[in-house]
């Protein structure tokens, strides 16, 4: 071990971001998970979860500690044992990349105490944490949480990540009071899709990346549609169509499902954000009777090592 302890923050993310199923991700400034690690030196591992959420505390069943151990292995080192505390800042199963935030945080914290400066290794280890929770190794949430801004897996053969700085906009996030496990939300997807739907998403994805690179907010939002996952998953989120309609009527420029849901996000300007938020909360409650939590944030710059010594 090069260092004794480290503290890392790792943010919530919006995976898929419209047409980019399993590829696109947008990092949010908040909420964040806070991961603390202390080298134990005796080979024993422990993990404790704080923040009012119940998650596994067996080191190989918790995605943060699992990702930390994988990071040590991938870098050819022994983790030598550690004590980890995960302070959850976000609700698991809500669609805003909770397991990715914790996995990136765990891997980055281990990289910090080992003195490993290789973000691609952190990405790989974090994807293994994600796989533990969801059953598949998708990189969209972990890439956005690690690198910040807008990310796309631009080559799935090498897991190369394209990174773009988004323009300034507000993000309104609605968290309906229902948990949707990613594993189950993936099970509702068809194993085959019509070729015209693949072409539709591929075309919109190209347009969205072009608009993002030009920092054209209206252009980004005009391409936020999807035929690969949202049509199959929205049944898991009662009130989705009504929330989308009311958000757009109140000043949102684009709306979609965040990751595998149930979170719904809207892109808008700072001045319209409060109105859009109120409209989304009300539309959900009136259409489905469901309670929700909601927040407004902006694009974020990714996971950070807050201190290491
Ligand atoms: N791309 C993943 C999915 C994200 O939609 O299943 C899970 O949050």
């Amino acid at each position: 071990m090069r260092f004794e302890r480290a503290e890392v923050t790792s943010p919530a993310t919006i995976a898929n971001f419209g047409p980019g199923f399993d590829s696109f991700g947008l990092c949010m400034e908040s909420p964040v998970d806070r991961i603390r690690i202390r080298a134990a030196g005796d080979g024993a591992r422990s993990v404790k979860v704080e923040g009012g959420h119940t998650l596994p505390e067996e080191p190989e069943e918790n995605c943060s500690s699992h990702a930390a151990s994988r990071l040590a292995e991938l870098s050819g080192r022994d983790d030598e044992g550690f004590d980890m505390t995960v302070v959850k800042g976000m609700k698991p199963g809500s669609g805003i990349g909770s397991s990715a935030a914790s996995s990136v945080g765990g891997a980055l914290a281990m990289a910090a105490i080992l003195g490993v400066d290789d973000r691609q290794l952190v990405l790989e280890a974090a994807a293994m944490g994600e796989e533990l929770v969801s059953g598949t190794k998708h990189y969209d949430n972990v890439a956005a949480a690690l690198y910040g801004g807008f990310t796309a897996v631009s080559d799935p053969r090498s897991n190369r990540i394209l990174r773009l700085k988004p323009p300034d906009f507000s993000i309104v996030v609605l968290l309906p009071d229902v948990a949707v496990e990613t594993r189950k939300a993936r099970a509702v997807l068809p194993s085959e899709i019509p070729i015209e739907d693949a072409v539709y998403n591929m075309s919109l994805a190209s347009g969205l990346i072009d608009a993002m690179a030009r920092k054209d907010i209206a252009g980004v939002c005009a391409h936020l549609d999807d035929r690969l996952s949202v049509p199959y998953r929205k049944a898991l989120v009662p009130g989705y169509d009504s929330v989308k309609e009311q958000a757009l009527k109140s000043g949102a420029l684009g709306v979609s499902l965040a990751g595998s849901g149930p979170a719904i996000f809207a892109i808008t300007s700072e001045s319209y954000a409060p109105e859009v938020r109120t409209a989304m909360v009300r539309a959900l409650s009136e259409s489905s009777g469901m309670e929700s939590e909601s927040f407004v944030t902006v694009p974020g710059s990714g996971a950070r090592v807050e201190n290491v010594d």
Side-chain angles (χ1 to χ4, degrees), residues 13 15-16 20-24 95-99 130 134 136 138-141 182-183 185-186 189 229 233 258-261:
T13 47
N16 303 337
F21 180 70
D22 272 2
S23 173
F24 291 0
I96 54 170
S98 165
S99 53
E130 186 73 305
S134 71
T136 59
H138 51 273
Y139 287 76
D140 45 2
N141 287 108
T182 301
R183 201 181 280 271
R186 293 182 82 86
L189 301 179
S229 65
R233 285 173 166 171
S260 55

Side-chain angles (χ1 to χ4, degrees), residues 43-301:
R45 300 176 183 92
S46 78
V47 59
K48 199 163 77 172
V49 180
E50 297 180 350
H53 299 288
T54 308
L55 288 169
E57 292 189 329
E58 279 298 313
E60 280 305 329
E61 285 169 26
N62 177 287
C63 62
S64 299
S65 43
H66 183 80
S69 294
R70 301 296 80 76
L71 186 284
E73 280 166 17
L74 289 174
S75 54
R77 311 278 281 277
D78 182 351
D79 66 35
E80 295 172 27
F82 56 84
D83 299 314
M84 181 176 274
T85 304
V86 181
V87 186
K88 287 301 294 175
M90 64 196 83
K91 201 165 125 189
S94 62
I96 54 170
S98 165
S99 53
S102 294
S103 299
V104 166
L108 188 60
M110 177 58 80
I113 56 169
L114 289 177
V116 171
D117 185 18
D118 182 338
R119 292 247 157 178
Q120 197 64 26
L121 273 195
V122 175
L123 183 79
E124 287 300 333
M128 293 174 178
E130 186 73 305
E131 183 179 28
L132 178 75
V133 177
S134 71
T136 59
K137 216 168 162 198
H138 51 273
Y139 287 76
D140 45 2
N141 287 108
V142 287
L146 179 63
Y147 290 115
F150 172 82
T151 52
V153 182
S154 56
D155 188 342
R157 294 164 299 187
S158 60
N159 296 321
R160 180 179 179 276
I161 307 297
L162 169 81
R163 298 155 65 183
L164 292 172
K165 187 172 181 334
D168 293 335
F169 51 66
S170 286
I171 310 161
V172 182
V173 180
L174 181 78
L175 306 176
D177 190 17
V178 55
V180 172
E181 274 180 40
T182 301
R183 201 181 280 271
K184 290 189 182 146
R186 293 182 82 86
V188 304
L189 301 179
S191 54
E192 291 181 3
I193 49 156
I195 195 157
E196 53 275 20
D197 289 351
V199 172
Y200 182 84
N201 267 57
M202 188 173 61
S203 305
L204 287 182
S206 310
L208 193 147
I209 287 188
D210 170 54
M212 191 69 81
R214 290 185 291 103
K215 302 203 188 306
D216 168 6
I217 301 175
V220 167
C221 292
H223 293 89
L224 267 184
D225 199 19
D226 170 58
R227 287 191 187 163
L228 302 188
S229 65
V230 175
Y232 306 101
R233 285 173 166 171
K234 66 182 185 177
L236 303 174
V237 189
Y240 174 79
D241 286 328
S242 171
V243 169
K244 179 171 176 175
E245 187 188 332
Q246 292 308 317
L248 291 171
K249 274 193 186 153
S250 316
L253 296 167
V255 180
S256 194
L257 210 54
S260 55
I264 304 169
F265 73 95
I267 304 297
T268 185
S269 62
E270 191 182 352
S271 55
Y272 277 110
E275 220 171 299
V276 170
R277 179 178 177 179
T278 305
M280 291 170 80
V281 170
R282 188 181 304 138
L284 183 76
S285 150
E286 287 178 358
S287 61
S288 70
M290 202 179 278
E291 295 294 309
S292 59
E293 290 172 30
S294 60
F295 61 89
V296 178
T297 186
V298 291
S301 53

